[in-house]
Amino acid sequence: KMAAPTRLCHVWVGAETGALKGGGGPGGVLGGSEGSGGALRGDPGRFRGSSVGPGGAFGGPGVLVGALDRSVSVFSTEKGKFTGGRLCPGGDGAFCGLGVSVVTAVESGLVRVWGEQEAEEVSEGPLQELQAGPGLCRMRQDPARPHVVATGGKENGLKVWDLQQPQEPLFRSKNVRNDWLDLRVPVWDRDLQFLPGSQRIVTCTGHGQVRLYDPSSPQRRPVLDATFGEAPLTALALPAGDSSVVVGSARGDVAVIDLRKGRVLRALKGFAGGVRGLQCHPHLPLVASVGLDRFLRLHGLDGRLRHKVYLKSRLTCLLLNSQLDWEVRPPPQEPPPQKEVKDEEGDELWDALESIPTPRKDQGGTPNPPQARGDPKSPSGPGVSPGSPGG
Amino acid sequence: MAGQGSGAGTGDGAGPPAPERVLFPPTFSVSEIKNKQRRHFMFLRWKQQQRKEKLALKKKRRKEREALGDKAPPKAVPKTIENQRVYDETTVDPNDEEVAFDEATDEFAPYFNRQTVPKILITTSDRPRGRTVRFCEQLATVIPNSHVYYRRGLALKRIIPQCIARDFTDLIVINEDRKIPNGLVLSHLPDGPTAHFRMSSVRLRKEIKRKGKEPTEHVPEVILNNFTTRLGHSIGRMFAALFPHDPQFIGRQVATFHNQRDYIFFRFHRYIFKSEKKVGIQELGPRFTLKLRSLQKGTFDSKYGEYEWIHKRREMDTSRRRFHL
């Protein structure tokens, strides 16, 4: 069959080994059986686990990577290596949220805002901090209003905070009514997203529920409460358009759920393990997903699997680049300088990546320089498949 | 119209013996004959003819081969399912440093760095019957430093913290159904992965023919065969972590986990070298077959656990030549 090669231009994936991998590149066409993206990482021993957020701090656009050792580094997408970073101590546990102009949240509930300047000494404290309650699972920043964050966790319901007023949350959600046995329904918000264009927040829980909250309405209970499957829902993404949401579970069941009625519109198949990260493309009907089965998958929202890339470690988080156009038809063979994208975007306030330069630039620090697979152009950039192992 | 082509008497059931060359008109099809006896007869005749043609072809080829002598082309390798296996992109390259780093920092690293000594707890599902109990005892003799405990209806999620407190490194739960063991849950303890297998073909020691004497207390060697993919690597390491690092070669015992077509065969042998090249083996100990159903990331938690790999039959078993381990 003639494949319509969707060019995967730069998906950033964080792995459990601490590696940050970039997928795709304007020069390489990701066809049916591509190899893994090139692993771009500074020092293999340093990190263990990562979470990725849009960059723009510490000078220059890039990708923020948070690691288990509580350091937040910026990977500059222009220079192709880690530039700057700082240690963000305080609280216990791993990061559960990263935001621009560096907001960090850890599992013990401590949300801190750090300055944009690269701290020379670690002792420079946070600019602002707030306590969101223990057992935090996720913190996200509203892309429209960067001073507003939402937090949710285990037995820690959804709260929307204003970073300038750390004492009281703007909105504190209420649990649903007792179930048919008159027992309290347990709360475990695993992932949440702000719906663009309104103040509403959609959450997915560890008990398989998808809930929609509306802080602007007087109702503190969820407006919509839908159940999907039995397994915990671990990841959530919003496709273009306002009325549906893609959720992924710990068993690898991924579905598109309608937010108007709470019904499953479509199931996405092919996952062998739990899904850890999901993100939809802002314009095209594509969703990228990343999980514990070590694969990065790109599905169309009609359910068809477009691409599957094997990345060798268990993957924890994912970030898409939306600056480049993802052309569906195969591009004419142009030399890469014509594909250069403008680099002057500064801090992006929503989950989109900053611009990515051409892959021809020398990407320093790559441990295994990827070779192209039969491609005469042979770019040495990230993400061009090294081919089958052992050549 | 059918049945006329052969020209032989198809009216009676026995029929005259088939002639040497039967002429079937091109439009003839055995399935069009409505009469079952005649149809059966015609089919047998057709089959005999096919067999004859095949034999003739073979003879001809053999003659050609002999005639060519040295110049004959080499014999074609027959295709087997293992030959035709679809290449799995997760196959581990031995030089891959990312996989090596991953394995150096995963949950089995303390075992492979010799920081912990394996200590296994073997238990069953609740109220086991005799066969399962005997199987557990035999398994305990095969795996050194293992202890069998009666389940007593305790929840696994409560057993696990107690095991961790008492320094157990692995937990094996043999599940039983209708008096035969049919499942195995292997959980690496501090926070390690949990593998759930379906167990079949369990043979106790007394059911094995030509077996040797009881296994001794020596630490056996471990052989892991054919775990090529990344998932297979993880499972292989799980099995390796059950046995202490240094085998005692005096005991001449070996435990083998052989993976073929996603089934893992466990055998326990005693070997003796009769000469440099010839080995004699004696099977001791129980034998069983495992098939992986799921690999979960933390310790046993069927409700809220995150799975690294689940066997989804309808999605994964679409090809007869694709295997996952």
Side-chain angles (χ1 to χ4, degrees), chain A residues 330-345:
Chain A
Q333 295 291 341
E334 310 163 9
Q338 292 186 13
K339 297 212 175 50
E340 184 138 3
V341 197
K342 303 194 235 320
D343 291 351
E344 60 252 18
E345 272 78 18

Side-chain angles (χ1 to χ4, degrees), chain B residues 240-283:
Chain B
L242 291 177
F243 294 88
H245 250 290
D246 301 309
Q248 291 170 319
F249 295 101
I250 303 180
R252 285 184 283 120
Q253 288 174 145
V254 57
T256 309
F257 292 90
H258 176 88
N259 169 40
Q260 187 155 347
R261 298 197 201 177
D262 282 355
Y263 283 88
I264 301 170
F265 300 91
F266 172 80
R267 302 285 183 269
F268 193 73
H269 294 280
R270 180 178 285 136
Y271 60 89
I272 180 161
F273 278 101
K274 296 180 195 159
S275 70
E276 266 241 357
K277 301 268 177 89
K278 289 178 67 161
V279 192
I281 52 173
Q282 236 184 16
E283 185 166 3

Side-chain angles (χ1 to χ4, degrees), chain A residues 112-191:
Chain A
R112 284 183 160 178
V113 184
W114 305 84
E116 288 217 12
Q117 273 67 43
E118 179 162 353
E120 291 303 323
E121 42 324 312
V122 181
S123 55
E124 184 183 304
L127 296 179
Q128 180 73 273
E129 74 177 42
L130 61 89
Q131 193 45 258
L136 204 60
C137 285
R138 182 64 86 175
M139 184 279 290
R140 277 211 205 263
Q141 217 176 12
D142 191 353
R145 306 170 288 167
H147 58 96
V148 170
V149 300
T151 58
K154 185 156 191 171
E155 295 306 325
N156 186 348
L158 175 74
K159 297 186 183 74
V160 182
W161 302 85
D162 186 348
L163 288 173
Q164 289 145 7
Q165 293 150 28
Q167 270 67 42
E168 266 298 307
L170 289 178
F171 171 74
R172 190 195 293 267
S173 66
K174 196 167 170 184
N175 198 2
V176 293
R177 295 200 165 87
N178 288 352
D179 61 8
W180 64 289
L181 292 171
D182 202 22
L183 294 170
R184 177 187 173 267
V185 177
V187 172
W188 187 4
D189 284 326
R190 290 289 289 255
D191 198 358

Side-chain angles (χ1 to χ4, degrees), chain B residues 106-118:
Chain B
D106 74 353
E107 296 98 351
F108 294 107
Y111 166 78
F112 284 99
N113 294 338
R114 295 177 186 248
Q115 288 161 2
T116 54
V117 174

Side-chain angles (χ1 to χ4, degrees), chain A residues 16-17 21 34 41 44 48 188 190 206-207 232 250-253 269-274 276 292-295 308 310 312-314 367 388-390, chain B residues 87-93 96-99 101-102 105-107 193 230-231 234 294 297 302-312 315-316 322:
Chain A
E16 258 196 18
T17 53
K21 304 193 186 210
E34 291 298 317
R41 57 184 173 182
R48 186 84 179 102
W188 187 4
R190 290 289 289 255
H207 302 284
R251 294 191 74 122
D253 308 316
K269 295 286 184 189
F271 296 87
R276 279 288 185 91
L292 291 177
D293 56 353
R294 304 179 165 94
F295 274 93
K308 192 166 88 158
Y310 174 57
K312 299 169 196 154
S313 349
R314 291 188 279 236
S388 49
Chain B
Y87 174 70
D88 197 335
E89 53 184 340
T90 60
T91 307
V92 174
D93 179 21
D96 196 341
E97 55 173 56
E98 186 173 346
V99 172
F101 176 71
D102 197 8
T105 47
D106 74 353
E107 296 98 351
R230 187 71 185 85
L231 177 68
S234 309
S294 66
K297 187 160 182 263
S302 58
K303 212 167 165 197
Y304 301 124
E306 280 199 63
Y307 285 86
E308 225 184 280
W309 189 82
I310 304 183
H311 183 248
K312 297 187 178 175
E315 293 173 30
M316 296 180 187
R322 175 184 290 277

Side-chain angles (χ1 to χ4, degrees), chain B residues 42-82:
Chain B
M42 294 309 293
F43 176 72
L44 287 179
R45 271 238 289 240
W46 178 81
K47 260 314 224 200
Q48 283 168 11
Q49 190 185 345
Q50 296 289 96
R51 237 180 282 146
K52 275 204 189 67
E53 285 174 8
K54 195 169 165 189
L55 204 58
L57 194 63
K58 258 197 189 162
K59 266 196 188 155
K60 193 170 77 143
R61 253 199 238 134
R62 189 143 44 101
K63 283 226 177 70
E64 284 173 9
R65 192 183 197 89
E66 283 168 12
L68 282 179
D70 277 338
K71 291 176 283 170
K75 279 200 165 173
V77 177
K79 294 186 190 174
T80 61
I81 290 194
E82 283 86 7

Side-chain angles (χ1 to χ4, degrees), chain A residues 192-218:
Chain A
L192 48 98
Q193 285 277 2
F194 281 88
L195 282 174
S198 70
Q199 280 191 36
R200 298 185 300 172
I201 302 165
V202 61
T203 334
C204 66
T205 70
H207 302 284
Q209 294 139 341
V210 178
R211 291 176 171 166
L212 184 63
Y213 293 87
D214 196 350
S216 57
S217 76

